[in-house]
Amino acid sequence: MPWWKVILWLVGLAALFSLGIIVGHFAVPKEADQLAPQDLDQELLEAVMGQLDASRIQENLRELSLKPHMATTLRDENLVQLLLQRWQNPESGLDAAGEGVYEVLLSFPSREQPNTVRVVSSNGTTLFTSQHSETNLTGEQGDPEVVQPYAAYAPAGTPQAVNGAKHGVAGLLVYTDPGDINDNLRFPNETFPHSWALPPSGVERGSYYEHFGDPKTPYFPATPSAFRLENADIQGFPPIPTQPISFEDAQKLLCNLKGSVAPDSWQGALGCDYRLGPGFLDNGHFSQDSEVNVTVHNRLELRNSSNVLGIIRGAVEPDRYVLYGNHRDSWVHGAVDPSSGTAVLLEISRVLGTLVKAGKWRPRRSIVFASWGAEEFGLIGSTEFTEEFFSKLQERGVAYINVDIAVFANATLRAQGTPPAQSVIFTAAKQVPAPGKSGLTVYDNWLQYYNRSSPAHGVIPSLGTLGSGSDYAAFVHFLGITSMDIAYTYDRSKTSARIYPTYHTAFDTFQYVESFLDPGFTSHRAVAQTVVNVLLRLSDSLLLPLNIGDYSETLRSFLQAAQDKLGPLLGQQSIDLGPLVSAVERFERAAAALDQRIETLRKNLSDPLKVRMVNDQLMLLERAFLNTRAFPEKYYYSHVLWAPRTSNVVTFPGLANAYDEAVKTPNDPSAWAKVKKQLSIAAMAVEGAAATLEPVDDL
Amino acid sequence: MPWWKVILWLVGLAALFSLGIIVGHFAVPKEADQLAPQDLDQELLEAVMGQLDASRIQENLRELSLKPHMATTLRDENLVQLLLQRWQNPESGLDAAGEGVYEVLLSFPSREQPNTVRVVSSNGTTLFTSQHSETNLTGEQGDPEVVQPYAAYAPAGTPQAVNGAKHGVAGLLVYTDPGDINDNLRFPNETFPHSWALPPSGVERGSYYEHFGDPKTPYFPATPSAFRLENADIQGFPPIPTQPISFEDAQKLLCNLKGSVAPDSWQGALGCDYRLGPGFLDNGHFSQDSEVNVTVHNRLELRNSSNVLGIIRGAVEPDRYVLYGNHRDSWVHGAVDPSSGTAVLLEISRVLGTLVKAGKWRPRRSIVFASWGAEEFGLIGSTEFTEEFFSKLQERGVAYINVDIAVFANATLRAQGTPPAQSVIFTAAKQVPAPGKSGLTVYDNWLQYYNRSSPAHGVIPSLGTLGSGSDYAAFVHFLGITSMDIAYTYDRSKTSARIYPTYHTAFDTFQYVESFLDPGFTSHRAVAQTVVNVLLRLSDSLLLPLNIGDYSETLRSFLQAAQDKLGPLLGQQSIDLGPLVSAVERFERAAAALDQRIETLRKNLSDPLKVRMVNDQLMLLERAFLNTRAFPEKYYYSHVLWAPRTSNVVTFPGLANAYDEAVKTPNDPSAWAKVKKQLSIAAMAVEGAAATLEPVDDL
């Protein structure tokens, strides 16, 4: 070969080799590129929602509500095993599941000596005795495990009097009026099983403990060795014997009272004028000088109550927890409360567990599933859990989703939550078809039932606020974790019932749900779809879908209410709302600027630390509103924005409550000093929260 | 070309192209690889240490200590400007610097009516009057800005008595005995300026407020609008007029007292027998029935005090803060306290700032520099800062380094800190040559002076614990941030002085430092080198150099002490230490397992999120020991392991203190209940901390 041919060949070969290098470098992806951050997969999300099966939810509910399963009873323990079995199933279970057991103080009536309300004549003859159980209308009420209606934690005793209020109330009777619960229905042929209304013999059970968590171990997890208060030192139990009765029994007492007629707002639907006493009517069922005797034999008992926990481990950020839970214990069969929620929980965990076990999916963050124990006695299982894992959860908890009663009724979605939860719930609700409303989404349907006008968003569904009605309480108030509660609920144009009528009675059964609340279980499925959508968005999105801007709107409205309703009188006391104004303005600026930075970041999400840093700001915002010294007398309440508010001014609760107190004693400077202190607490919380939203390397 | 040749050629060309692809894919790094995480650069570290200049530290000190600069005085404000100027310097400053101003309650004597201690005869003649100022020995003591010796926050008043203890003490005199501070030296010709000893006229100033932080705004940042206690409602001020005096004045009083001789341990080096009174000696300077009159005119004043803050922004994790600070305010010229620390701070910020401004370096994490105000009055500036930025700092604070007095004496390093700080201080000290000890490192030298035997590490230098002696207090006790304090200190074989003798007097001057504490400023430089080494390790290492295993050793020793010293009597009271045993064992297991996982991770640090997740566990461990309800009566103390311990048993302070109280009233069940409660608090903290160290996706 001539030299020029050799060179030509060599050049050609070199070019080919170089081309190979170029192709190899640019066209063949390396492992690092293959790991480029994956965001929420919309197809998977659709698939998951599609796999949620109404009939499986129905079968879950049938099994969960088969027998009464009050906290720590044998059936409650059986359901612990059921949960464990489901979550440890090799095909459809979670990565791991286990039990957390706490030794907690519960309160039970006596089987041997049932609580009784009697009318006793002056010579000691019993003229009337209250029912010890509800009428067996559908079989379930005859189950020997149905607990007698009682007021948990009410002390034992046998007070006897009529209208004892004049000289100090000695005992308390509680009943649910058909006017409040039944849209006035009160006869057997118009109530369950003929309608959803409460039968005359139905009695609402409940806990009468003022705080939440295990009463003997406030702020300690109730492990066997934990420090325990003496029972006598426990604060917050009712001071006097208390007993709930049916409206059938209440009618016999109330419609026979004499005395002046009670105010209009006290009247109800028992078919008589309610009078204030004292004493019974001259021409009534009882002799005039008869008295009411209340005999309560409740006993306090230390019992072992279990939480069941399960986890799907996060693939990328396993140290970020999206928690989703519901309680397991009921008062009786608890088909609605809480088993409707648990039936949904089990269906969601089955669908997600199946994907995980098949190796088809794993979320970015960890998902923790929880079945709490002893909620009915005061949110005990969930509270003990937050005490035991306080640090870990405060550091790593992204959000807590609660679905207690999944379906109160089948009209519309109802959601409660702190403001950062609003947008993700809306987004989810827009992707779920509304049951029974062809062409409408759950969001559209919700908007028709409950809406408000938002300065930022226009007309949107109303997100409720979180009180302490279910297991989210310790998460939001004690831990400061963004929380929400999701359910399907009433058409308020069709009922004014305070809650579904058989609440906490022996008539809350599977048949009740199937016949009246959600035939076909389509509302259950809609709740499951909404929840799983929220759950996946929180656990699988690169950027957390927590819209902190929605806190700006809340704070501005709190401020506006304070200025409008409290401002004038505060001004007279030379108390200036200025610090709160600047704090809220600073928060608004910081939130808006962070939103801007997030929009910029959204264009390039390749740096995992940049994403994590922003997510930490979003996740931890709620924590910044905690102040453990703000409400020292209220166990667990640290969240400066959502603590209980006795005032009807919708503003910072500590400020509003202190103001209400000061108004009662306007000449007491110490009362106004408390207002000033609460004003500082509110302003400090908002300033501190704003500081966490500002650029992380600002001074 | 025959077909087989063509094929041969094609195969060859294909092979070459393939080889190119392989080379291109595997041998040519992609951008992702080029961004492989950078760890601490040892060369840079050496260079930085080398650039720290003793003579610049010396010149810093000369300027800082030129005039008295008590908190909020004009000179203190001038130094604020000096700090800002340095930190905003375009060549050697930080990325940003600014002021944080708080309106705080300070206490000052009256210029017009100096505090006075007098001996007054029964006819009212003044027989003795205490000095109102220290003798002007070197010029500085004559500066009109030298504040009269006083006890800050002691109330005004004019008690008069001798040995009032018998009927309730009415006033209090305080002095420093030459036996405690001067190795018995007490004559002018053997004290400063002839030696480092305290001249006879020297008086130690100080704050007598029991808590720390601004007294009017506990738990609130002292912004102008913050809620403030009425002065009368402030807890923790001395109840009676109090005045410090010189030992020269004290001698005149003490050596003339009559009465029985005081116990041996009360005797001192004033050259006479100390007696208990009451009354003066028959043959002494004063008539027997003379009385001592103390006149205190201290006034409380609201003043604006500034912190100065500066930041070097982190390149990779700007939301992780390594904080390094010292106070700026002194009692008088404060050359040692605090200007020796500030001189070092300014030199470190100059060297690092110069690198940043030149674009040569930027740390992985943010470094925050702080010059705190009003420390001498009770750590006020630093405490208000932690209140204002509580959430942000708790979320993001990696560690706090305090260098208050940099050089107490020039013999050896002395460090205090929480256990996770130990290893990084040791590593740093091993890289710094000990001044004046050719061939020895600071570590080797330290080991010779103060050491202990560690079960895990053998013989190592003793790391002291952090009380509340300087600005680290709010960081460790209130925020739960790993903290440390670093200085050079005494050869204890050469002096038994409680602290350097001119502490808080007008003799703590530049000349004092230059002549007696650190001629040549080599100890200052060694402190600076050690500190910058710690600072860079904390801010620039990929994996945080916090050795959480060292907490296992602390917890085990606390447990052992509880078992040995408290166990027997607790057993008699049926109080079982078992829960604490299991908690400590769990912690030990969790820490050891985490160390294992870290060793594995160390082999491949390419995943930034894996590194961040482990670092979060290390950073947040200290937080897990906080319990805001553990010591409600002690402002800011939440750290269950390091709260003040009155007991001399070195164990969990709450447990030890409650035990000591219960032993005093062994038949009081409520006292033992408090012991049980503190036992639960300790066990819960250790369990919770262990839970944060366990794998993040464990249930």
Side-chain angles (χ1 to χ4, degrees):
Chain A
M1 227 174 336
W3 61 266
W4 59 268
K5 268 200 180 171
V6 173
I7 287 173
L8 213 63
W9 268 110
L10 286 176
V11 168
L13 291 175
L16 193 66
F17 182 62
S18 302
L19 183 68
I21 290 176
I22 289 163
V23 169
H25 180 60
F26 289 106
V28 181
K30 289 201 183 185
E31 203 179 359
D33 298 287
Q34 287 160 355
L35 289 176
Q38 192 184 331
D39 211 337
L40 177 72
D41 179 341
Q42 284 292 338
E43 275 181 41
L44 177 115
L45 183 57
E46 293 288 345
V48 164
M49 288 195 295
Q51 284 160 31
L52 294 167
D53 180 348
S55 64
R56 283 180 187 265
I57 298 174
Q58 183 169 14
E59 291 317 304
N60 287 341
L61 185 65
R62 193 191 304 276
E63 184 159 6
L64 291 166
S65 63
L66 198 62
K67 292 185 188 165
H69 51 285
M70 187 167 55
T72 74
T73 59
L74 181 62
R75 179 63 181 172
D76 182 35
E77 282 305 304
N78 290 344
L79 293 186
V80 167
Q81 296 310 315
L82 180 150
L83 264 293
L84 284 172
Q85 217 166 29
R86 296 281 188 100
W87 288 353
Q88 291 171 348
N89 184 297
E91 275 83 43
S92 60
L94 310 175
D95 288 323
E99 248 182 293
V101 184
Y102 300 100
E103 193 177 308
V104 302
L105 191 71
L106 305 186
S107 160
F108 299 100
S110 161
R111 272 180 197 263
E112 300 73 35
Q113 301 175 284
N115 296 345
T116 307
V117 177
R118 291 181 302 144
V119 176
V120 184
S121 74
S122 55
N123 65 12
T125 311
T126 296
L127 306 175
F128 162 83
T129 302
S130 64
Q131 299 154 348
H132 295 159
S133 60
E134 288 140 321
T135 307
N136 190 352
L137 299 176
T138 60
E140 288 94 339
Q141 298 77 33
D143 190 304
E145 291 301 312
V146 173
V147 72
Q148 197 214 335
Y150 73 113
Y153 300 113
T158 54
Q160 178 169 326
V162 172
N163 197 298
K166 287 180 83 171
H167 303 290
V169 176
L172 188 67
L173 299 182
V174 179
Y175 83 101
T176 310
D177 198 281
D180 295 326
I181 200 79
N182 263 1
D183 295 314
N184 296 343
L185 302 179
R186 65 185 162 102
F187 298 110
N189 65 350
E190 56 189 13
T191 54
F192 182 72
H194 308 288
S195 78
W196 85 328
L198 180 67
S201 69
V203 187
E204 183 180 327
R205 294 150 187 82
S207 170
Y208 286 66
Y209 178 46
E210 187 185 325
H211 307 293
F212 56 87
D214 170 41
K216 280 181 89 74
T217 60
Y219 297 119
F220 294 98
T223 56
S225 65
F227 171 73
R228 284 183 162 73
L229 295 172
E230 296 294 329
N231 288 356
D233 294 337
I234 294 171
Q235 305 287 316
F237 284 166
I240 50 173
T242 302
Q243 180 64 18
I245 57 175
S246 66
F247 68 75
E248 190 172 33
D249 282 351
Q251 186 189 36
K252 288 179 188 137
L253 299 175
L254 206 46
C255 292
N256 280 293
L257 273 187
K258 71 174 177 189
S260 51
V261 174
D264 273 2
S265 64
W266 293 30
Q267 299 297 327
L270 290 178
C272 65
D273 280 344
Y274 298 1
R275 294 172 181 275
L276 295 172
F280 287 108
L281 288 172
D282 309 349
N283 55 352
H285 280 53
F286 311 122
S287 47
Q288 284 182 54
D289 53 359
S290 300
E291 293 196 313
V292 176
N293 177 294
V294 180
T295 305
V296 173
H297 289 290
N298 296 347
R299 284 187 302 225
L300 294 169
E301 290 182 36
L302 275 182
R303 294 283 191 99
N304 283 328
S305 173
S306 297
N307 294 333
V308 185
L309 294 163
I311 190 167
I312 295 178
R313 299 196 165 103
V316 183
E317 295 183 277
D319 68 340
R320 290 293 175 260
Y321 311 143
V322 180
L323 301 113
Y324 163 35
N326 177 29
H327 67 104
R328 186 186 57 256
D329 66 304
S330 58
W331 279 118
V332 194
H333 298 79
V336 184
D337 179 8
S339 305
S340 62
T342 309
V344 166
L345 177 69
L346 284 173
E347 178 59 0
I348 288 178
S349 65
R350 178 191 71 82
V351 170
L352 296 182
T354 304
L355 284 170
V356 168
K357 292 291 184 188
K360 289 183 182 157
W361 170 78
R362 181 169 291 289
R364 179 178 181 84
R365 305 181 182 86
S366 295
I367 302 179
V368 176
F369 296 87
S371 168
W372 310 118
E375 188 262 8
E376 294 295 4
F377 288 83
L379 323 179
I380 293 181
S382 56
T383 303
E384 300 308 305
F385 175 77
T386 61
E387 290 169 331
E388 180 167 5
F389 299 105
F390 184 84
S391 294
K392 191 167 141 167
L393 294 170
Q394 264 213 337
E395 292 166 8
R396 305 174 193 159
V398 170
Y400 174 66
I401 306 168
N402 196 66
V403 183
D404 181 340
I405 296 169
V407 177
F408 290 86
N410 60 2
T412 173
L413 196 76
R414 182 232 58 183
Q416 305 168 323
T418 58
Q422 176 176 276
S423 64
V424 65
I425 298 173
F426 284 1
T427 311
K430 287 175 184 169
Q431 290 195 302
V432 178
K437 310 280 179 72
S438 170
L440 277 193
T441 66
V442 160
Y443 179 90
D444 302 328
N445 182 58
W446 184 13
L447 193 62
Q448 294 181 358
Y449 282 91
Y450 299 98
N451 60 54
R452 68 178 182 98
S453 184
S454 144
H457 307 292
V459 178
I460 53 171
S462 304
L463 186 78
T465 57
L466 294 169
S468 57
S470 188
D471 291 302
Y472 49 74
F475 288 92
V476 64
H477 297 297
F478 184 45
L479 289 172
I481 291 179
T482 293
S483 298
M484 65 203 86
D485 186 272
I486 295 174
Y488 239 67
T489 196
Y490 320 102
D491 178 347
R492 278 288 169 211
S493 72
K494 295 201 175 142
T495 177
S496 68
R498 176 173 62 82
I499 191 167
Y500 70 96
T502 63
Y503 176 71
H504 287 192
T505 74
F507 303 107
D508 176 351
T509 60
F510 179 74
Q511 181 193 343
Y512 184 80
V513 175
E514 203 176 33
S515 308
F516 299 107
L517 293 197
D518 190 21
F521 283 76
T522 52
S523 296
H524 279 81
R525 196 167 83 113
V527 169
Q529 289 175 326
T530 308
V531 167
V532 88
N533 194 307
V534 170
L535 187 60
L536 290 196
R537 288 179 180 281
L538 287 166
S539 58
D540 233 359
S541 301
L542 258 178
L543 279 168
L544 284 177
L546 299 174
N547 185 11
I548 46 102
D550 285 329
Y551 246 130
S552 294
E553 194 168 312
T554 305
L555 292 174
R556 173 57 61 178
S557 81
F558 277 18
L559 175 63
Q560 193 66 51
Q563 287 173 317
D564 294 350
K565 306 284 175 57
L566 319 182
L569 203 44
L570 290 179
Q572 285 176 31
Q573 295 287 338
S574 305
I575 299 175
D576 180 13
L577 288 171
L580 206 49
V581 175
S582 357
V584 170
E585 285 172 354
R586 177 177 173 192
F587 187 96
E588 289 169 334
R589 282 194 307 274
L594 177 55
D595 275 343
Q596 286 291 329
R597 294 198 301 281
I598 290 174
E599 283 321 302
T600 307
L601 181 61
R602 213 180 278 283
K603 291 172 196 150
N604 178 0
L605 292 166
S606 62
D607 183 337
L609 285 179
K610 282 191 179 149
V611 174
R612 170 101 168 185
M613 286 188 280
V614 160
N615 282 341
D616 279 358
Q617 287 182 283
L618 301 177
M619 173 178 88
L620 294 172
L621 170 62
E622 202 85 63
R623 257 48 124 230
F625 290 114
L626 295 189
N627 181 334
T628 58
R629 293 168 195 87
F631 316 106
E633 73 293 356
K634 297 197 177 85
Y635 289 167
Y636 306 110
Y637 286 104
S638 299
H639 201 302
V640 167
L641 303 179
W642 306 117
R645 182 165 43 76
T646 49
S647 160
N648 57 14
V649 181
V650 184
T651 184
F652 302 89
L655 177 63
N657 296 347
Y659 175 92
D660 266 19
E661 286 303 307
V663 166
K664 290 179 196 162
T665 56
N667 298 319
D668 175 6
S670 78
W672 292 107
K674 284 179 188 159
V675 175
K676 284 186 211 167
K677 186 171 181 175
Q678 287 294 338
L679 181 62
S680 266
I681 286 172
M684 175 169 68
V686 178
E687 293 271 358
T692 71
L693 298 183
E694 288 165 358
V696 295
D697 52 6
D698 265 15
L699 261 186
Chain B
M1 223 167 347
W3 62 267
W4 59 268
K5 267 202 180 171
V6 172
I7 285 174
L8 213 66
W9 267 111
L10 287 176
V11 168
L13 291 176
L16 193 67
F17 182 62
S18 303
L19 183 69
I21 289 177
I22 289 164
V23 169
H25 181 59
F26 290 105
V28 181
K30 290 204 181 183
E31 202 180 358
D33 299 287
Q34 288 160 354
L35 287 177
Q38 191 182 334
D39 210 337
L40 178 73
D41 179 341
Q42 284 293 338
E43 273 181 43
L44 176 115
L45 183 58
E46 293 288 344
V48 164
M49 288 195 297
Q51 284 161 30
L52 294 167
D53 181 347
S55 64
R56 283 179 187 266
I57 298 175
Q58 182 170 15
E59 291 317 304
N60 287 342
L61 186 65
R62 193 191 304 275
E63 185 159 5
L64 291 165
S65 63
L66 199 62
K67 291 185 188 165
H69 50 287
M70 189 166 54
T72 72
T73 60
L74 182 62
R75 179 63 180 171
D76 182 36
E77 283 305 304
N78 290 342
L79 292 185
V80 167
Q81 296 310 318
L82 180 149
L83 264 292
L84 284 172
Q85 217 167 28
R86 295 282 187 99
W87 288 352
Q88 291 171 347
N89 184 298
E91 274 84 42
S92 60
L94 310 174
D95 287 324
E99 249 181 293
V101 184
Y102 300 101
E103 192 177 307
V104 301
L105 190 71
L106 304 186
S107 161
F108 298 101
S110 161
R111 274 180 196 263
E112 300 73 35
Q113 300 174 285
N115 297 345
T116 307
V117 177
R118 291 181 303 143
V119 176
V120 185
S121 72
S122 53
N123 64 13
T125 313
T126 294
L127 306 175
F128 161 83
T129 303
S130 64
Q131 299 153 349
H132 294 159
S133 60
E134 289 141 319
T135 307
N136 189 352
L137 298 177
T138 61
E140 288 94 339
Q141 298 77 34
D143 190 302
E145 290 301 314
V146 173
V147 72
Q148 197 214 337
Y150 73 113
Y153 300 114
T158 55
Q160 178 168 327
V162 172
N163 196 299
K166 289 180 84 170
H167 303 290
V169 176
L172 187 68
L173 298 182
V174 178
Y175 83 101
T176 310
D177 197 282
D180 295 328
I181 200 77
N182 263 0
D183 295 315
N184 297 343
L185 302 178
R186 66 185 161 103
F187 297 110
N189 65 350
E190 56 189 12
T191 55
F192 182 72
H194 307 290
S195 78
W196 85 327
L198 180 67
S201 69
V203 187
E204 184 180 328
R205 293 150 188 81
S207 169
Y208 286 68
Y209 178 46
E210 187 185 324
H211 306 291
F212 55 87
D214 170 40
K216 280 180 88 76
T217 60
Y219 298 118
F220 294 99
T223 55
S225 65
F227 171 73
R228 285 183 162 72
L229 295 173
E230 297 293 329
N231 289 356
D233 294 337
I234 294 172
Q235 304 288 316
F237 284 167
I240 50 173
T242 302
Q243 179 64 19
I245 56 174
S246 67
F247 69 75
E248 190 172 34
D249 280 352
Q251 185 189 37
K252 287 176 190 141
L253 299 175
L254 206 46
C255 293
N256 280 294
L257 275 188
K258 72 176 176 187
S260 51
V261 175
D264 273 2
S265 63
W266 292 31
Q267 299 297 327
L270 291 177
C272 64
D273 281 343
Y274 297 2
R275 293 171 181 278
L276 295 172
F280 286 110
L281 286 174
D282 309 348
N283 54 353
H285 280 52
F286 310 122
S287 48
Q288 285 182 52
D289 53 358
S290 301
E291 292 196 312
V292 176
N293 178 295
V294 181
T295 305
V296 174
H297 290 290
N298 295 348
R299 285 188 300 227
L300 295 169
E301 291 182 34
L302 275 181
R303 294 284 192 99
N304 283 329
S305 174
S306 296
N307 294 332
V308 185
L309 294 162
I311 190 166
I312 296 177
R313 301 196 164 103
V316 183
E317 294 182 279
D319 68 340
R320 290 295 176 259
Y321 310 143
V322 180
L323 301 114
Y324 163 35
N326 178 31
H327 66 103
R328 185 186 58 255
D329 66 305
S330 58
W331 279 118
V332 194
H333 298 79
V336 184
D337 180 8
S339 307
S340 61
T342 309
V344 166
L345 177 70
L346 284 172
E347 178 59 1
I348 288 178
S349 64
R350 179 191 70 83
V351 170
L352 297 182
T354 305
L355 285 170
V356 168
K357 292 292 183 188
K360 290 183 181 159
W361 170 80
R362 181 170 291 287
R364 179 178 181 86
R365 305 180 183 87
S366 294
I367 301 179
V368 177
F369 296 86
S371 169
W372 310 117
E375 187 263 8
E376 294 295 4
F377 288 82
L379 323 179
I380 293 180
S382 56
T383 303
E384 300 309 303
F385 174 78
T386 61
E387 289 167 334
E388 180 166 5
F389 299 103
F390 184 85
S391 294
K392 190 168 143 168
L393 294 171
Q394 265 214 336
E395 291 167 9
R396 305 174 193 159
V398 170
Y400 175 65
I401 305 169
N402 195 66
V403 183
D404 181 339
I405 296 170
V407 177
F408 291 85
N410 61 1
T412 173
L413 196 77
R414 182 233 58 180
Q416 305 167 323
T418 57
Q422 177 178 276
S423 64
V424 66
I425 298 173
F426 284 1
T427 311
K430 286 175 183 169
Q431 289 194 304
V432 179
K437 309 281 178 71
S438 170
L440 278 191
T441 66
V442 160
Y443 180 89
D444 302 327
N445 182 59
W446 185 12
L447 194 62
Q448 293 179 359
Y449 283 91
Y450 299 97
N451 60 56
R452 68 178 183 100
S453 184
S454 144
H457 307 292
V459 178
I460 53 172
S462 306
L463 186 79
T465 57
L466 294 169
S468 57
S470 188
D471 291 302
Y472 49 74
F475 287 92
V476 63
H477 297 297
F478 184 46
L479 288 173
I481 290 180
T482 293
S483 299
M484 65 202 87
D485 186 273
I486 295 174
Y488 238 67
T489 195
Y490 320 103
D491 178 348
R492 277 290 170 209
S493 71
K494 297 201 176 141
T495 178
S496 68
R498 175 174 63 83
I499 192 167
Y500 71 96
T502 63
Y503 175 72
H504 286 192
T505 73
F507 303 107
D508 177 351
T509 60
F510 180 74
Q511 180 193 343
Y512 184 79
V513 175
E514 201 176 33
S515 307
F516 299 108
L517 293 198
D518 190 21
F521 284 76
T522 53
S523 296
H524 280 80
R525 194 167 84 112
V527 169
Q529 290 176 324
T530 308
V531 168
V532 88
N533 194 306
V534 170
L535 188 60
L536 290 196
R537 288 178 180 281
L538 287 166
S539 58
D540 231 359
S541 301
L542 259 178
L543 280 168
L544 285 178
L546 298 173
N547 185 11
I548 46 102
D550 286 329
Y551 246 130
S552 293
E553 195 169 312
T554 304
L555 292 174
R556 174 56 63 176
S557 81
F558 277 17
L559 176 62
Q560 193 66 51
Q563 288 174 317
D564 294 350
K565 306 283 174 57
L566 318 182
L569 202 44
L570 290 179
Q572 286 176 30
Q573 295 287 337
S574 305
I575 299 175
D576 181 12
L577 288 171
L580 206 49
V581 175
S582 356
V584 171
E585 286 172 353
R586 178 178 173 191
F587 186 96
E588 289 169 335
R589 281 194 308 274
L594 177 55
D595 275 344
Q596 285 291 327
R597 295 198 301 280
I598 290 174
E599 282 322 302
T600 308
L601 181 61
R602 212 179 280 283
K603 291 171 195 150
N604 179 1
L605 292 166
S606 62
D607 183 337
L609 285 179
K610 283 192 178 150
V611 173
R612 170 100 168 186
M613 286 189 279
V614 160
N615 282 342
D616 279 359
Q617 288 183 281
L618 301 178
M619 174 178 87
L620 294 171
L621 170 61
E622 203 85 64
R623 257 46 124 231
F625 290 114
L626 294 189
N627 181 333
T628 57
R629 293 167 196 89
F631 317 107
E633 73 293 357
K634 297 197 178 86
Y635 289 166
Y636 304 110
Y637 286 104
S638 299
H639 200 303
V640 167
L641 303 179
W642 306 117
R645 181 164 44 74
T646 49
S647 159
N648 57 16
V649 181
V650 184
T651 185
F652 303 90
L655 176 64
N657 296 348
Y659 175 93
D660 266 18
E661 285 304 306
V663 166
K664 289 180 195 161
T665 55
N667 298 319
D668 175 6
S670 78
W672 292 107
K674 285 179 188 158
V675 175
K676 285 187 213 167
K677 185 171 183 176
Q678 285 295 337
L679 181 62
S680 266
I681 286 172
M684 176 170 68
V686 178
E687 293 271 358
T692 70
L693 299 183
E694 290 165 357
V696 295
D697 52 6
D698 266 15
L699 263 184

